[in-house]
Amino acid sequence: MKTEFNYSLLKHNTFGIDAKCQRFVEYNSVEEAQEVVRSLKDEDYPLLILGGGSNLLLTGDYKGTVLHSGISFVEQLDDERVRCGSGYVWDDFVDYCVSHNLYGAENLSIIPGECGASAVQNIGAYGVEAKDLIEEVEAVEISTGKVHHFKNAECAYSYRQSKFKHEWRDKFLITSVTYRLSKTYQPKLDYGNIRAALAEQGIEHPTAAELRQTITNIRNAKLPDPKVTGNAGSFFMNPIVPKAKYDELAARYERMPHYTIDAEHEKIPAGWMIEQCGWKGKTLGRAGVYDKQALVLVNLGGATGADIVRLYKTIQHDVKEKFGIEIHPEVNTSPN
């Protein structure tokens, strides 16, 4: 277990915001997590549970304790189940699955962050979500130090949501996640431009490794490297709107992209609406909108959390004015 005071969080957030916390604690086992929560005092609060920092916007110094999981392992439990420590890098998990002929995670390649966060955020891409794979989440209750095991259904997963983001927020330290994969390969190719990218390579029936590499290439082409340009990937969630609202907009915008959710709802890409508002490639101070993907906000160097907040709120306002739709951040902000 590692504890440091007045600790810089610059290397713990992919936005590259230079903020500090009062105290930083990293635990490397379930027992250490229990020891940490049982030793917490009033002066240690508030708490910020931090993963890889790839879905976080720090709006200032954190006057409390940051808790980070250093539990990093991967183990195959049986033919289809894999258990990972909460601090294990997500893309390393996907790589492990593909290389061990375990299928279902390949569309989630190269999403930044750690496995613990997958159970909180219900990460997703190209027609697959973490909830499709998660079987069980192990977590230590902060108030008691007790270890809990939550089945998938208990976590109330939906689009980028879970109980860990709402009623269970700041109540548990996730220590490991168990995923159920499949030994049968059934590639999902119909989301986004996967088929077009495969066709460019002359691939009609991709192996899992070929699909993983293709998705990696697609994401690398449209998302900036956070080591070069600070960002948190897709900043906004794609809004899901009633069919009547979609019909109204479709009548005005003939080529508006959309994805059918069910008979009553459609998903409209937030990035498309942001681009229609003229924000793609534009800046506001040291914060900007990435010129290759309007869904991504970037730190152009030296931006503060407040600069990013000013930009995203301005974009929210413009989208609401033009389309009558509220878009909400997928990225968490702290301190709130």
Side-chain angles (χ1 to χ4, degrees):
M1 185 167 60
K2 178 177 71 176
T3 302
E4 298 191 37
F5 293 86
N6 295 317
Y7 185 83
S8 173
L9 296 172
L10 182 60
K11 294 181 179 179
H12 291 276
N13 74 101
T14 59
F15 248 124
I17 303 296
D18 191 8
K20 293 182 172 62
C21 65
Q22 189 170 296
R23 182 180 180 225
F24 182 91
V25 180
E26 184 174 84
Y27 50 91
N28 297 293
S29 67
V30 173
E31 293 74 23
E32 284 191 1
Q34 292 177 300
E35 183 183 336
V36 168
V37 300
R38 286 168 176 162
S39 68
L40 290 171
K41 300 178 175 62
D42 288 346
E43 56 265 31
D44 295 320
Y45 287 83
L47 305 178
L48 173 62
I49 302 166
L50 182 65
S54 59
N55 198 50
L56 175 68
L57 173 60
L58 293 167
T59 58
D61 288 341
Y62 194 76
K63 296 177 174 61
T65 301
V66 171
L67 302 175
H68 178 256
S69 172
I71 304 174
S72 183
F73 68 85
V74 58
E75 60 178 351
Q76 189 166 343
L77 301 178
D78 54 34
D79 282 353
E80 294 188 331
R81 294 187 305 145
V82 175
R83 181 169 170 255
C84 296
S86 50
Y88 194 71
V89 173
W90 171 262
D91 196 53
D92 289 349
F93 158 70
V94 179
D95 185 63
Y96 177 93
C97 292
V98 171
S99 62
H100 286 76
N101 301 316
L102 294 165
Y103 307 116
E106 50 275 0
N107 285 39
L108 302 177
S109 291
I110 209 170
I111 293 177
E114 299 170 350
C115 289
S118 75
V120 177
Q121 188 69 13
N122 184 24
I123 57 174
Y126 300 105
V128 179
E129 293 178 292
K131 72 175 177 61
D132 303 330
L133 309 174
I134 292 171
E135 180 177 88
E136 183 178 277
V137 181
E138 179 188 79
V140 171
E141 188 172 14
I142 292 174
S143 63
T144 65
K146 181 182 176 182
V147 177
H148 293 258
H149 294 88
F150 298 107
K151 296 298 183 183
N152 182 301
E154 297 176 82
C155 301
Y157 287 120
S158 60
Y159 176 60
R160 302 296 183 272
Q161 303 295 335
S162 74
K163 282 189 176 181
F164 292 108
K165 284 190 72 172
H166 297 288
E167 53 260 60
W168 293 348
R169 183 184 176 96
D170 297 331
K171 292 184 177 179
F172 295 95
L173 298 181
I174 293 175
T175 48
S176 70
V177 185
T178 299
Y179 305 93
R180 181 175 291 278
L181 290 304
S182 175
K183 296 295 288 184
T184 304
Y185 178 48
Q186 296 178 307
K188 294 190 176 182
L189 308 177
D190 294 324
Y191 201 97
N193 55 339
I194 295 176
R195 285 194 186 274
L198 288 168
E200 286 179 10
Q201 303 170 71
I203 300 172
E204 186 175 353
H205 302 290
T207 65
E210 288 172 335
L211 178 54
R212 169 167 161 72
Q213 187 59 56
T214 298
I215 287 173
T216 297
N217 294 343
I218 292 171
R219 288 182 65 88
N220 281 338
K222 71 178 184 179
L223 298 173
D225 183 347
K227 296 185 180 68
V228 179
T229 304
N231 73 94
S234 299
F235 192 89
F236 293 100
M237 293 184 283
N238 293 319
I240 296 172
V241 302
K243 190 73 162 55
K245 180 63 179 178
Y246 162 75
D247 289 340
E248 172 203 325
L249 292 173
R252 289 164 48 195
Y253 302 95
E254 186 178 340
R255 298 184 179 179
M256 182 177 69
H258 65 101
Y259 303 97
T260 300
I261 301 300
D262 54 39
E264 301 296 328
H265 298 90
E266 298 281 338
K267 182 189 294 183
I268 299 174
W272 179 83
M273 291 190 289
I274 294 167
E275 188 171 349
Q276 296 303 305
C277 291
W279 274 106
K280 189 176 182 180
K282 296 294 180 65
T283 62
L284 192 60
R286 301 305 302 161
V289 179
Y290 192 47
D291 59 2
K292 295 180 181 178
Q293 170 54 267
L295 202 55
V296 178
L297 306 189
V298 294
N299 178 354
L300 299 170
T304 64
D307 292 332
I308 306 293
V309 169
R310 183 163 65 107
L311 174 62
Y312 95 66
K313 287 187 177 295
T314 304
I315 291 170
Q316 277 182 317
H317 173 269
D318 289 357
V319 169
K320 180 70 181 294
E321 284 285 300
K322 188 176 184 69
F323 295 98
I325 293 175
E326 291 187 9
I327 57 173
H328 300 283
E330 178 177 335
V331 173
N332 300 306
T333 60
S334 190
N336 291 324

